[in-house]
């Protein structure tokens, strides 16, 4: 199955490491203070609590999956979706300059995840071992 296959190269290792060290702490930060994050997202953006839960799940567990190279394409797809929604809802009016609170930063993360979406976890991944 295309979703589980991976490229036999090392090219995905650096994007995986960068995304993992970005999303695991970001997801953990939201998990550790979930009630206030869910409330803030509801008040500021109109998201119900379950949407916040999905976003936090994708960030934290998707980051772990990408770090391990397990179901890499699926996790990368989740990150592309979450970051695209983040740009659309929260950062589009903040400008492009690539700092944390602008959409330039999210576009960089989307670019890394997009790469993994198409090449998979690579040679040094659990995807390569199991699939």
């Amino acid at each position: 199955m295309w979703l589980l296959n991976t490229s036999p190269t090392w090219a995905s290792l650096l994007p995986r490491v960068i995304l993992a060290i970005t999303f695991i702490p970001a997801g953990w930060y939201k998990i550790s203070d979930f009630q206030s994050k869910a409330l803030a997202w509801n008040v500021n953006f109109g998201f119900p609590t379950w949407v916040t839960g999905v976003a936090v799940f994708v960030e934290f567990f998707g980051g772990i999956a990408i770090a391990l190279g397990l179901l890499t394409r699926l996790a990368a797809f989740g990150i592309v979706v979450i970051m695209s929604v983040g740009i659309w809802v929260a950062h589009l009016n903040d400008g492009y300059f690539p700092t944390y609170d602008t959409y330039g930063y999210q576009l960089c993360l989307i670019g890394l995840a997009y790469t993994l979406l198409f090449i998979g976890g690579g040679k040094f991944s659990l995807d390569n071992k199991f699939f």
Side-chain angles (χ1 to χ4, degrees):
M1 177 182 212
W2 175 84
L3 187 64
L4 301 175
N5 289 337
T6 187
S7 170
T9 70
W10 291 89
S12 65
L13 186 59
L14 186 59
R16 282 181 36 222
V17 168
I18 292 169
L19 286 173
I21 63 175
T22 301
F23 282 100
I24 293 170
W28 180 252
Y29 170 72
K30 291 175 182 89
I31 286 173
S32 64
D33 193 17
F34 183 76
Q35 290 296 57
S36 86
K37 288 297 172 198
L39 180 62
W41 285 15
N42 182 275
V43 169
N44 294 329
F45 309 118
F47 290 144
T49 302
W50 71 268
V51 172
T52 305
V54 169
V56 169
F57 181 89
V58 168
E59 286 188 11
F60 184 68
F61 293 105
I64 291 172
I66 285 176
L68 298 173
L70 182 63
L71 303 174
T72 306
R73 293 177 194 251
L74 183 62
F77 177 74
I79 286 175
V80 167
V81 170
I82 293 297
M83 290 292 97
S84 296
V85 170
I87 288 173
W88 182 261
V89 172
H91 298 288
L92 197 58
N93 293 330
D94 296 333
Y96 172 76
F97 192 75
T99 61
Y100 178 73
D101 287 332
T102 63
Y103 69 87
Y105 176 70
Q106 280 77 21
L107 282 176
C108 292
L109 296 173
I110 288 171
L112 291 172
Y114 186 81
T115 300
L116 295 179
L117 183 60
F118 285 96
I119 64 174
K123 188 171 189 163
F124 188 64
S125 70
L126 292 178
D127 287 342
N128 187 47
K129 181 176 176 74
F130 294 129
F131 308 113

